[in-house]
Short mmCIF file of all heavy atoms in Angstrom, two decimals:
data_model
loop_
_atom_site.label_atom_id
_atom_site.label_comp_id
_atom_site.label_asym_id
_atom_site.label_seq_id
_atom_site.Cartn_x
_atom_site.Cartn_y
_atom_site.Cartn_z
N GLU A 46 142.77 122.30 7.58
CA GLU A 46 142.44 121.01 8.27
C GLU A 46 143.28 120.79 9.45
O GLU A 46 144.45 121.17 9.48
CB GLU A 46 142.52 119.85 7.30
CG GLU A 46 141.74 119.89 6.02
CD GLU A 46 142.46 120.49 4.91
OE1 GLU A 46 143.54 121.09 5.07
OE2 GLU A 46 142.11 120.13 3.74
N SER A 47 142.76 120.11 10.46
CA SER A 47 143.50 119.63 11.59
C SER A 47 142.85 118.41 12.17
O SER A 47 141.71 118.05 11.82
CB SER A 47 143.60 120.84 12.72
OG SER A 47 142.28 121.14 13.20
N GLY A 48 143.57 117.78 13.05
CA GLY A 48 142.99 116.67 13.80
C GLY A 48 143.54 115.29 13.29
O GLY A 48 143.14 114.25 13.90
N GLY A 49 144.37 115.29 12.24
CA GLY A 49 144.91 113.97 11.76
C GLY A 49 145.87 113.47 12.73
O GLY A 49 146.37 114.13 13.66
N GLY A 50 146.26 112.28 12.48
CA GLY A 50 147.27 111.62 13.32
C GLY A 50 147.31 110.12 13.16
O GLY A 50 146.73 109.63 12.17
N LEU A 51 147.90 109.40 14.08
CA LEU A 51 147.99 107.97 14.09
C LEU A 51 146.96 107.32 14.98
O LEU A 51 146.85 107.72 16.18
CB LEU A 51 149.42 107.55 14.49
CG LEU A 51 149.68 106.04 14.60
CD1 LEU A 51 149.54 105.36 13.20
CD2 LEU A 51 151.06 105.84 15.17
N LEU A 58 138.71 109.15 15.18
CA LEU A 58 139.36 110.39 15.02
C LEU A 58 138.40 111.44 14.47
O LEU A 58 137.55 111.15 13.73
CB LEU A 58 140.52 110.17 14.05
CG LEU A 58 141.75 111.10 14.09
CD1 LEU A 58 142.48 110.95 15.41
CD2 LEU A 58 142.67 110.76 12.95
N ARG A 59 138.62 112.67 14.87
CA ARG A 59 137.77 113.71 14.45
C ARG A 59 138.62 114.85 13.73
O ARG A 59 139.56 115.28 14.34
CB ARG A 59 136.98 114.44 15.60
CG ARG A 59 136.16 115.60 15.12
CD ARG A 59 135.31 116.22 16.20
NE ARG A 59 134.25 115.35 16.69
CZ ARG A 59 133.30 115.59 17.56
NH1 ARG A 59 133.34 116.77 18.17
NH2 ARG A 59 132.40 114.74 17.93
N LEU A 60 138.30 115.11 12.50
CA LEU A 60 138.97 116.06 11.73
C LEU A 60 138.16 117.39 11.75
O LEU A 60 136.99 117.39 11.76
CB LEU A 60 139.15 115.66 10.25
CG LEU A 60 139.84 114.28 9.97
CD1 LEU A 60 140.02 114.03 8.50
CD2 LEU A 60 141.16 114.29 10.74
N SER A 61 138.89 118.52 11.75
CA SER A 61 138.28 119.82 11.73
C SER A 61 138.77 120.58 10.53
O SER A 61 139.89 120.35 10.05
CB SER A 61 138.61 120.58 13.05
OG SER A 61 138.16 119.98 14.19
N MET A 122 135.21 110.15 12.39
CA MET A 122 135.62 108.94 11.81
C MET A 122 135.65 107.80 12.91
O MET A 122 136.45 107.96 13.81
CB MET A 122 136.98 108.97 11.04
CG MET A 122 136.94 110.07 9.97
SD MET A 122 138.48 110.06 9.04
CE MET A 122 139.72 110.57 10.36
N THR A 154 145.36 116.97 5.88
CA THR A 154 145.91 116.43 7.15
C THR A 154 146.08 114.91 7.08
O THR A 154 145.15 114.24 6.57
CB THR A 154 145.04 116.82 8.31
OG1 THR A 154 145.56 116.45 9.62
CG2 THR A 154 143.55 116.25 8.22
N GLN A 155 147.17 114.41 7.54
CA GLN A 155 147.47 112.98 7.42
C GLN A 155 146.69 112.14 8.42
O GLN A 155 146.83 112.48 9.63
CB GLN A 155 148.97 112.69 7.49
CG GLN A 155 149.38 111.31 7.46
CD GLN A 155 149.17 110.63 6.18
OE1 GLN A 155 149.59 111.23 5.07
NE2 GLN A 155 148.60 109.53 6.05
N VAL A 156 146.02 111.13 8.03
CA VAL A 156 145.39 110.08 8.87
C VAL A 156 146.06 108.75 8.56
O VAL A 156 146.03 108.32 7.48
CB VAL A 156 143.86 109.97 8.64
CG1 VAL A 156 143.30 108.86 9.45
CG2 VAL A 156 143.23 111.32 9.09
#
Side-chain angles (χ1 to χ4, degrees):
E46 301 95 337
S47 63
L51 176 65
L58 207 61
R59 178 178 291 184
L60 306 183
S61 298
M122 304 184 293
T154 186
Q155 176 71 47
V156 172

